[in-house]
Amino acid sequence: MTRILVTGGAGFIGSFLCERLIEAGNEVVCADNFQTGSEANIQAIMGSRSFELIKHDVRVPLHVDVDEIYNFACPASPAQYQQHPTGTTKTAVLGAINMLDLARKVGAEILQASTSEVYGSSTIHPQPEEYWGNVNPIGARACYDEGKRCAEALFSDYRRQFGVATKVARIFNTYGPRMQPNDGRVVPSFIVQALTNKPITIFGDGTQIRSFCFVDDLVDGLIKLMKIQSAVAPINLGSPHECTIRVLAETVVELVGSRSPVEFRPLPSDDPPKRTPDISKARRLLDWSPAVSLTEGLGKTIRYFENVLSQRCGDNAQGRPSGAKKPFPDLSFSDD
Ligand code: NAD
Ligand code: UDP
């Protein structure tokens, strides 16, 4: 049986990854400090004999005997990582060092959750892996972008200097159930706003381009990447189907059948105007491309948030004081 460590395993992507790895017959150790993750995300696997949860901060070294490591611990929502900028950089960089040291010590293969943010406000579109990026090194997003870029440098050097078996996935915008209703990313924000008939907050004029990958597709790609030996350089994983933020807003409103008006707000600084992956390398090396359409994936995500919101109403109707139970992350987290 393969024993696998997933850092950030109580988060949005990490929790689906843990589930899939257990379903495939592996033993999973999840290490998470619950900064943006929640026990609700891993509720379904908490009772499994193949699952172990360690409350741990990756900024601190960890020793567990494992065969594989997926390093996913890091806040990913711009609103959340910018709330704790120094903590974010430390998580990205010290987390990478600590997990690479562990991989080296126990001889594990290690996969890094990198990001399309390494390309910054790209001057090439769509972005191939060969592009070095255009990142503002001192801007509001730098804590995350530069932290993840440094992590990529570390992954490359641990491979070259120490022979550690590293893999790097450059993940583009991924969405699905278990994102937090209040995490600030565009998909959960628009869905919750539409379901509650509140204004849909479009930042800027809504012409910025993103491409959205459903979480199940991403997890397929991650597991394939861990398995192959030939991918020594970073590889893009994401949807190649582009969508403007304005079209995303219209699609969500239509699917929900909402009465929400649109409200335009200022564009946050360094918000990349165009981001879409070139996934030819993933197609060639992993035989991977996303299968779930945006409407299908949004439909599943909308149903999830409908349940979350109706449960919250139910809780309030039963008189539970708000904050008595914490199903969602504590944004006042201050362990920077
Ligand atoms: P998320 O915020 O839901 O999950 C992150 C998890 O890491 C949470 O459970 C959080 O509690 C945990 N964590 C944060 N700091 C930690 C620390 N210091 N020690 C231990 N645990 C810590 O975000 P997500 O969307 O699931 O993203 C997961 C990973 O994928 C991140 O590394 C992120 O950078 C990467 N990624 C995600 C996307 C996306 O679109 N979702 C895109 C690119 C990259
Ligand atoms: N965005 C928006 N309204 C929101 C949240 C985000 O218009 O309520 C925009 C944001 O400015 C960006 C895009 O949607 O252009 C995607 O934002 P997100 O935070 O999901 O991720 P990013 O791609 O910026 O990392």
Side-chain angles (χ1 to χ4, degrees), residues 4-6 8-10 18 28-32 42 51-55:
I4 304 173
L5 171 65
V6 180
C18 288
V28 170
V29 181
C30 161
D32 203 298
I42 46 173
F51 183 72
E52 185 186 338
L53 171 65
I54 308 175
K55 187 161 188 216

Side-chain angles (χ1 to χ4, degrees), residues 18-283:
C18 288
E19 262 175 40
R20 287 279 292 280
L21 293 170
I22 289 172
E23 273 164 29
N26 302 291
E27 247 177 43
V28 170
V29 181
C30 161
D32 203 298
N33 70 350
F34 292 96
Q35 179 176 347
T36 57
S38 74
E39 282 196 17
N41 285 347
I42 46 173
Q43 211 166 16
I45 45 175
M46 280 290 245
S48 165
R49 284 170 52 200
S50 306
F51 183 72
E52 185 186 338
L53 171 65
I54 308 175
K55 187 161 188 216
H56 179 81
D57 192 311
V58 294
R59 289 170 284 194
V60 176
L62 173 69
H63 185 88
V64 280
D65 267 317
V66 287
D67 308 293
E68 294 176 0
I69 303 169
Y70 287 84
N71 187 34
F72 274 65
C74 189
S77 154
Q80 290 179 337
Y81 66 65
Q82 287 174 33
Q83 209 171 343
H84 302 284
T86 54
T88 299
T89 307
K90 287 178 194 165
T91 291
V93 177
L94 295 176
I97 293 171
N98 289 328
M99 293 310 118
L100 283 161
D101 280 340
L102 174 63
R104 189 179 169 208
K105 206 182 309 170
V106 301
E109 295 192 50
I110 180 166
L111 184 150
Q112 165 71 352
S114 190
T115 168
S116 52
E117 287 286 325
V118 300
Y119 301 121
S121 290
S122 58
T123 52
I124 293 183
H125 190 81
Q127 294 82 57
E129 289 85 353
E130 294 71 31
Y131 179 52
W132 288 356
N134 178 36
V135 170
N136 175 355
I138 54 168
R141 296 173 90 105
C143 57
Y144 183 76
D145 299 10
E146 296 292 12
K148 291 283 188 175
R149 283 168 69 95
C150 182
E152 283 203 13
L154 285 160
F155 269 67
S156 309
D157 284 333
Y158 269 69
R159 167 176 280 277
R160 284 187 288 253
Q161 195 176 341
F162 304 122
V164 175
T166 59
K167 312 274 164 77
V168 174
R170 287 188 182 150
I171 303 169
F172 284 63
N173 296 64
T174 299
Y175 72 99
R178 297 192 196 149
M179 295 182 93
Q180 306 133 28
N182 59 348
D183 94 355
R185 282 181 277 187
V186 70
V187 171
S189 297
F190 283 3
I191 291 179
V192 170
Q193 289 162 349
L195 285 171
T196 52
N197 291 309
K198 299 230 171 84
I200 305 284
T201 54
I202 293 186
F203 299 164
D205 61 5
T207 56
Q208 63 270 43
I209 291 172
R210 294 291 187 276
S211 56
F212 296 96
C213 182
F214 190 64
V215 64
D216 289 354
D217 281 332
L218 181 80
V219 170
D220 283 342
L222 293 168
I223 292 172
K224 281 189 164 190
L225 177 56
M226 181 62 104
K227 290 287 158 238
I228 62 156
Q229 301 307 316
S230 50
V232 294
I235 190 157
N236 289 340
L237 292 180
S239 166
H241 300 292
E242 300 185 339
C243 173
T244 63
I245 293 305
R246 196 188 277 249
V247 167
L248 178 73
E250 288 163 2
T251 310
V252 168
V253 166
E254 195 184 316
L255 288 173
V256 167
S258 168
R259 298 188 305 278
S260 290
V262 164
E263 191 176 287
F264 290 94
R265 300 243 180 111
L267 190 68
S269 61
D270 297 330
D271 196 291
K274 273 180 160 188
R275 183 198 281 158
T276 301
D278 176 339
I279 59 161
S280 356
K281 200 170 160 188
R283 286 188 206 275

